[in-house]
Amino acid sequence: MRFSSKVKKCGLSPMRKFHPYAVAAKAAGKRIYHLNIGQPDIATPSQYFEAVRNFHQPVLAYSESPGMPALIEAILKYYEKHGMRFTQEEVLITTGGSEALQIVFNCVLDNGDEIIIPEPFYPNYNTMVNTCGAVIRPIPTSPEDGYFYADRARIEAAINERTRAIMCTNPGNPTGTVLTPEEMRMMVDVAKEHDLFLIGDEAYREFVYEENEPLRSMGEFEDAAENVVIIDTVSKRFSACGARIGCIISRNRELIGEALKYCQARLAVATLDQIASAALYDVGPEYFAAVKEEYRLRRDTVVAKLREIPGVICECPRGAFYLMAALPVDDADAFQQWLLTDFDDNGDTVMFAPGEPFYATPGKGKNEIRIAYVLKQQDLERAMDLLAKGIEAYNRR
């Protein structure tokens, strides 16, 4: 049987590819500390579950294809609170941020087109772009410079006649990098001057750890109304990954009109999840303050532990709840497999996401890893100690 060339270009998720080894390790009695998947352990706000319990309609019906008005209105109020004004006609509700990305890519990318994305990047971007028949043109970075990419010359050097969009995740997954207001302005200007879409994946917007640093969004730049597209989601902000509620936001009405075709083709987003997610936007600022402080402490723990390991290269990330680090090992993929099959310390081992699949450039990231610091403090400290012990044992085999 024949499969499409597009699907053949796609790879398995580096966050999930070691699942069979993890199953075998657990069956052998090992406890695994998971740093590989960005599933927050922070409790989902109770408003979500209360909304579900208060749902008493006799029929669980389709919602509107663009999304339920109550949820869209809640999102509009959230943005207005942060100084950005959008209308109902500029928001589409999607099944998570992932569907939002896939729809936008399908609207702006054709066979042979290119999209500029700083690397390392969230590996599922590769799958989404490949299924459009397009390719990623990476902006190269390195662990030594803290994965900095907001350099105008570097970005413009990647633009050619096939370029259709620039994409950035701000704050970054997997690096935790955060753009300054000046860097955001520069990227908007480049997109405007070259007539490109600027797609901002802002799933981690709330998680910036510098003191008194305000929440920022590409939606601030009203002068780039035709260029800017925002991808948003309740998954990380409210620790509600299982809700699968995201959205596309853009003042480009033509783009929204094209994206609506895909929204209608998939009929509707889950009704009950939309109702419950709308309630999440009633959560007060004290929730975000507490969550940010928890993640900041975890970040500091991970960075401090990594800096105790000889040969590790790691800059302190300013946002999200991930970091990338270069390890003193020859192959992070092989090292991860070995940790599951051949290593334990008193019955414990650890998982991370190997770095190579986060790159588009062949051969890059081979000794790098992504860590998601989504464990409680005690477990996080144990996981980092296991990583250090594992590196030492692996290198003296």
Side-chain angles (χ1 to χ4, degrees):
M1 304 293 287
R2 182 180 176 278
F3 296 94
S4 77
S5 60
K6 293 177 180 178
V7 77
K8 286 297 186 182
K9 291 178 182 176
C10 301
L12 295 172
S13 166
M15 289 78 80
R16 293 170 172 82
K17 67 177 288 187
F18 290 97
H19 177 70
Y21 297 101
V23 170
K26 289 176 182 177
K30 294 182 184 180
R31 178 182 179 182
I32 301 174
Y33 287 80
H34 288 274
L35 303 173
N36 57 311
I37 295 179
Q39 169 58 63
D41 65 340
I42 304 294
T44 306
S46 61
Q47 286 90 332
Y48 184 92
F49 304 105
E50 289 167 8
V52 173
R53 285 191 289 268
N54 290 332
F55 181 81
H56 299 299
Q57 298 298 320
V59 176
L60 188 60
Y62 286 124
S63 74
E64 300 87 339
S65 291
M68 298 186 75
L71 176 56
I72 294 176
E73 186 60 34
I75 292 169
L76 294 178
K77 288 179 179 177
Y78 164 86
Y79 278 89
E80 186 173 353
K81 183 170 60 179
H82 294 293
M84 291 166 277
R85 296 182 181 276
F86 297 94
T87 68
Q88 289 260 352
E89 295 73 29
E90 293 167 342
V91 181
L92 294 173
I93 304 302
T94 58
T95 305
S98 297
E99 188 189 46
L101 285 162
Q102 187 70 79
I103 288 174
V104 170
F105 288 161
N106 275 312
C107 287
V108 305
L109 298 174
D110 250 330
N111 289 330
D113 285 346
E114 295 185 2
I115 179 170
I116 296 171
I117 305 179
E119 63 177 0
F121 51 76
Y122 178 50
N124 284 338
Y125 294 162
N126 245 331
T127 299
M128 295 171 186
V129 171
N130 282 335
T131 56
C132 298
V135 296
I136 293 174
R137 172 77 64 171
I139 304 172
T141 67
S142 72
E144 289 78 11
D145 65 11
Y147 300 102
F148 171 78
Y149 65 87
D151 176 78
R152 186 179 183 117
R154 206 183 304 183
I155 295 169
E156 291 191 313
I159 297 173
N160 60 46
E161 68 279 1
R162 296 182 298 277
T163 308
R164 298 292 173 264
I166 303 169
M167 172 141 186
C168 64
T169 312
N170 186 41
N173 172 13
T175 62
T177 55
V178 177
L179 295 173
T180 67
E182 295 76 20
E183 290 165 349
M184 293 172 70
R185 177 74 256 179
M186 177 274 295
M187 296 194 73
V188 168
D189 288 343
V190 170
K192 287 177 61 178
E193 291 168 21
H194 293 272
D195 196 26
L196 302 173
F197 287 101
L198 178 61
I199 304 169
D201 184 345
E202 299 182 356
Y204 303 93
R205 186 191 301 126
E206 299 286 347
F207 308 120
V208 178
Y209 305 116
E210 301 304 311
E211 292 294 331
N212 302 317
E213 186 157 356
L215 179 149
R216 305 304 302 258
S217 169
M218 291 297 184
E220 298 169 28
F221 301 100
E222 295 188 31
D223 61 306
E226 296 301 302
N227 305 87
V228 170
V229 187
I230 299 169
I231 306 298
D232 206 348
T233 171
V234 305
S235 293
K236 312 300 181 175
R237 177 175 301 126
F238 299 108
S239 193
C241 297
R244 308 313 305 133
I245 296 294
C247 62
I248 302 166
I249 303 174
S250 181
R251 297 182 178 95
N252 186 320
R253 296 292 185 90
E254 186 176 4
L255 171 67
I256 293 295
E258 299 297 342
L260 181 58
K261 298 174 183 178
Y262 288 98
C263 293
Q264 291 177 345
R266 58 89 163 107
L267 305 184
V269 175
T271 299
L272 196 51
D273 278 340
Q274 290 188 76
I275 291 170
S277 293
L280 286 173
Y281 285 90
D282 293 331
V283 169
E286 66 282 353
Y287 169 81
F288 297 113
V291 172
K292 280 178 63 173
E293 180 60 16
E294 174 66 21
Y295 281 132
R296 187 185 66 78
L297 291 172
R298 294 180 185 188
R299 176 202 65 174
D300 292 348
T301 295
V302 172
V303 171
K305 288 282 191 180
L306 284 172
R307 288 176 175 171
E308 293 174 358
I309 303 173
V312 168
I313 300 172
C314 173
E315 290 292 319
C316 184
R318 293 176 55 221
F321 42 72
Y322 306 101
L323 61 78
M324 288 286 286
L327 302 185
V329 299
D330 55 354
D331 185 329
D333 199 287
F335 176 46
Q336 176 62 94
Q337 184 171 328
W338 178 85
L339 285 171
L340 293 171
T341 58
D342 294 81
F343 171 82
D344 74 89
D345 180 68
N346 294 318
D348 296 343
T349 191
V350 64
M351 287 184 73
F352 49 74
E356 194 169 9
F358 290 84
Y359 284 87
T361 303
K364 289 198 70 176
K366 197 171 183 65
N367 70 325
E368 295 173 42
I369 66 171
R370 187 196 76 170
I371 290 174
Y373 41 96
V374 291
L375 302 179
K376 295 288 189 292
Q377 186 71 19
Q378 184 176 350
D379 288 344
L380 192 59
E381 291 179 7
R382 174 62 173 154
M384 297 308 297
D385 289 341
L386 287 166
L387 179 63
K389 289 175 182 287
I391 291 171
E392 183 179 3
Y394 182 77
N395 284 333
R396 68 165 186 260
R397 291 170 301 153

